[in-house]
Amino acid sequence: MANSQSRGQAPIAPELSVGGWLRFLWRQLTSMRVALLLLMLLAVAAIPGSVFPQWDQDAVATAQYVADHPDSAVWLDRLGFFSVYSSPWFSAIYLLLFTSLIGCIIPRVGVYATALRMPPPRVPRVLTRFPGHSVRAWEDVDAAGAATRIAEALRGGRLWRRFRVDSSQGDDGQWLVAAERGYAREAGNLLFHISLVGILVSFGVGQAVEYRGQAIVQVGRGFVNAQVAYDTFESGSLFRDEIMPNFRVTLDDFTSSFRVTDSKAEDFTAFVTVTDSGGQRAERTIKVNAPLNVDGANIYLMGNGHAPVVTVRDAAGEVAFSGAVTFLPEDAQYTSRGVIKVPDVSTGDQLGFNGYLLPTAQFTGDTVRSLYPEALDPYLVLDLYVGDLGLDEGIPQNVYQLSTNRMTPVAGTAAGTPPVILAQGETVDLPQGLGTITFEDTVRYAAFDVRADPMLPWLLVFSVLALVGVALSLFVPRRRVWARVTSDDANGVIVEMAALARGEDQGLTFEIDRAWAIATGATARRQRTREL
């Protein structure tokens, strides 16, 4: 009665201890299925980094996005969508993937090393059930010689066709040959996963120690590779100023070429003089998609434009400002917007100009525009403000924006009067007796992006190794070949051969035929030599 009741009850699974649960979770985490899932999840998690602007890559664009989307941007910022690659959830996926790959690789390396030391699987008792089976007679050779020649045929040949061979004589007098090849397939699989770990490590270390700086340089000027010399600068968490090589770049000249019909850019070339950290000077050129490498840092040509040379005099005739001002292009015709800030005015309030540079100006009624990107007939169209620029408060300002909160418009749209318009070489009196402004000249400038990541060569190496590993795992077949050689008084020697592969393989018959042709052909040549 008790036995019948126990048979009717559902089986009770044993409860797992804390250690049991930890082992279970570790096995799940280090399974290949979970590793592939985490790899796919990492790719999905990186999508917001290309959709939304990032604080550490383009703070200005991110701030503009936040200003344009005040409601959603608050939550996106809290969730880390503006700093994806340093967010806790992206780092968690990254670390889990790293741990999963390490847990997958270590035991598989041990299994693979053990397999390399083991002999090929012994010859099965029945070979007729395997694909590629054949039975052939071999005359004028003994069983031992036939087995030796078959083993040599399987063991020789090109590197990717060689078998690991084990030849022995059975208790019944038969000679047995077992061969296996394709170990490089598993080696390629391991190489791919090890390279993937190398890519992850290189990427992580590179993000921590890399630095990137942007500098806008006018012709005749230069910059040094120092954090304070760049207009914008980003670096990793482990970056230190001491690792920056001490080199200098001077922009000697800048040339551009545009198509006359539609102003499409054809060529940009920056001619620079580079002084490396060892003091060696050299003249080089930098083009778009053709960066210059100096002391391990790549210098990219990212943009260019025109900088008008302006002189502003106050009401007393004293020079309040003189120099070239960078204007940023806004269209294909290089209509450029810029700001001129004049804080050192001795006779009154500070001056601020906000407007456009037209490289090749055309006036049509009340409208003015640029017809061509080159400075063939440049004009400045400026709005004028008077007041406090806010430079004395110690708060950093964008040099390309004019804060008009404490300023009064004097000329331009905001003042309801015509703007200040002047051609190159012209001097114009400012309204209300505020002084004069002279458009002296126009010079070219180039925008450079300097990037240094010491892990980039390692990323390249591991990427190439990963491709090699994938190629080996896809195209190297895993095959086993067996041969049983039996002496026969009537036919000489009977050779029974069979082959097996993991999965469907159309090359098994070819493998047997090739080994047979090499073995018998080599024996025939030796026999003919002996007969001669």
Side-chain angles (χ1 to χ4, degrees):
M1 187 68 178
N3 292 336
S4 63
Q5 289 179 350
S6 62
R7 285 196 299 269
Q9 295 176 353
I12 300 176
E15 294 184 0
L16 289 177
S17 62
V18 176
W21 276 109
L22 291 176
R23 285 191 297 270
F24 172 76
L25 293 176
W26 174 254
R27 292 193 184 105
Q28 295 300 314
L29 178 61
T30 56
S31 65
M32 189 57 63
R33 179 180 65 256
V34 173
L36 293 175
L37 179 63
L38 289 171
L39 184 61
M40 182 182 66
L41 188 60
L42 187 70
V44 174
I47 293 177
S50 59
V51 174
F52 299 102
Q54 303 294 294
W55 286 115
D56 57 348
Q57 296 178 3
D58 194 344
V60 175
T62 308
Q64 186 64 44
Y65 185 92
V66 172
D68 295 339
H69 306 83
D71 297 331
S72 60
V74 174
W75 290 101
L76 290 174
D77 196 18
R78 290 178 181 176
L79 295 174
F81 281 84
F82 297 139
S83 54
V84 169
Y85 307 111
S86 59
S87 62
W89 48 271
F90 188 87
S91 301
I93 299 173
Y94 183 90
L95 293 176
L96 284 174
L97 176 61
F98 185 81
T99 305
S100 179
L101 288 174
I102 294 294
C104 289
I105 292 171
I106 292 177
R108 290 181 62 180
V109 169
V111 172
Y112 181 67
T114 302
L116 289 177
R117 294 192 298 267
M118 295 178 61
R122 62 182 182 179
V123 179
R125 188 177 299 275
V126 180
L127 296 178
T128 55
R129 58 191 176 92
F130 294 104
H133 177 265
S134 68
V135 180
R136 312 184 190 194
W138 194 349
E139 299 178 354
D140 301 328
V141 66
D142 58 3
T148 301
R149 293 308 305 163
I150 292 174
E152 291 178 353
L154 292 170
R155 189 182 290 112
R158 296 178 179 178
L159 180 62
W160 58 87
R161 287 183 175 174
R162 294 178 182 175
F163 283 80
R164 294 177 60 229
V165 181
D166 181 49
S167 179
S168 61
Q169 187 176 18
D171 297 337
D172 53 1
Q174 296 179 337
W175 282 89
L176 306 176
V177 179
E180 185 175 19
R181 78 176 179 93
Y183 291 91
R185 185 184 186 94
E186 179 63 16
N189 201 345
L190 290 173
L191 178 62
F192 168 75
H193 288 89
I194 294 173
S195 300
L196 188 58
V197 173
I199 291 174
L200 292 175
V201 173
S202 300
F203 177 78
V205 174
Q207 289 291 310
V209 300
E210 70 171 354
Y211 69 88
R212 177 179 177 181
Q214 294 79 33
I216 295 179
V217 184
Q218 298 166 5
V219 171
R221 299 184 179 181
F223 68 95
V224 295
N225 188 41
Q227 184 171 345
V228 296
Y230 291 107
D231 299 319
T232 59
F233 188 84
E234 303 101 29
S235 60
S237 57
L238 300 180
F239 168 80
R240 297 294 180 269
D241 290 339
E242 304 83 53
I243 69 175
M244 297 181 69
N246 183 24
F247 64 81
R248 178 181 176 83
V249 178
T250 302
L251 180 60
D252 300 323
D253 194 11
F254 184 87
T255 61
S256 58
S257 175
F258 300 91
R259 200 158 56 192
V260 177
T261 55
D262 56 2
S263 301
K264 183 178 180 180
E266 293 182 337
D267 180 70
F268 297 112
T269 304
F271 298 88
V272 300
T273 299
V274 179
T275 305
D276 60 21
S277 55
Q280 299 293 325
R281 293 170 55 90
E283 295 182 354
R284 297 288 186 265
T285 59
I286 306 176
K287 291 178 174 288
V288 179
N289 297 326
L292 174 66
N293 185 276
V294 182
D295 292 336
N298 289 322
I299 306 175
Y300 298 86
L301 178 61
M302 301 301 295
N304 65 92
H306 302 281
V309 181
V310 177
T311 299
V312 179
R313 297 178 181 271
D314 58 22
E318 300 292 335
V319 176
F321 175 86
S322 181
V325 184
T326 299
F327 276 54
L328 302 180
E330 292 188 342
D331 58 23
Q333 309 302 330
Y334 275 51
T335 300
S336 306
R337 188 177 184 89
V339 170
I340 303 173
K341 300 179 182 181
V342 187
D344 299 325
V345 180
S346 61
T347 58
D349 293 332
Q350 298 174 337
L351 304 180
F353 297 87
N354 183 19
Y356 291 91
L357 168 67
L358 309 172
T360 304
Q362 181 191 46
F363 293 86
T364 305
D366 295 335
T367 62
V368 59
R369 62 171 184 157
S370 178
L371 297 178
Y372 194 66
E374 295 285 10
L376 303 180
D377 188 16
Y379 269 77
L380 279 174
V381 181
L382 303 172
D383 294 342
L384 173 60
Y385 292 83
V386 176
D388 184 6
L389 292 171
L391 300 177
D392 300 329
E393 298 179 356
I395 301 176
Q397 288 189 6
N398 190 332
V399 296
Y400 305 109
Q401 293 182 354
L402 181 65
S403 177
T404 60
N405 296 333
R406 301 178 183 179
M407 306 193 77
T408 302
V410 175
T413 304
T417 62
V420 178
I421 302 176
L422 63 163
Q424 182 171 305
E426 184 179 2
T427 299
V428 173
D429 293 329
L430 299 177
Q432 301 179 8
L434 295 173
T436 63
I437 180 171
T438 304
F439 185 4
E440 305 280 359
D441 195 5
T442 303
V443 298
R444 296 302 301 267
Y445 70 83
F448 296 106
D449 187 13
V450 181
R451 306 180 191 178
D453 184 353
M455 301 306 295
L456 285 179
W458 290 105
L459 277 174
L460 176 61
V461 169
F462 285 121
S463 299
V464 172
L465 290 177
L467 292 177
V468 173
V470 169
L472 290 175
S473 62
L474 290 178
F475 300 113
V476 174
R478 186 73 179 269
R479 293 172 179 170
R480 294 173 179 175
V481 175
W482 296 290
R484 179 180 286 112
V485 183
T486 307
S487 298
D488 185 89
D489 295 337
N491 299 311
V493 169
I494 302 299
V495 179
E496 182 182 11
M497 301 184 69
L500 179 66
R502 289 187 176 180
E504 186 176 354
D505 191 343
Q506 304 296 327
L508 296 179
T509 302
F510 164 79
E511 208 68 81
I512 294 177
D513 293 341
R514 172 182 167 276
W516 177 262
I518 294 176
T520 55
T523 302
R525 285 194 295 272
R526 288 206 312 274
Q527 289 176 344
R528 287 195 296 272
T529 301
R530 286 196 299 269
E531 291 171 358
L532 292 175

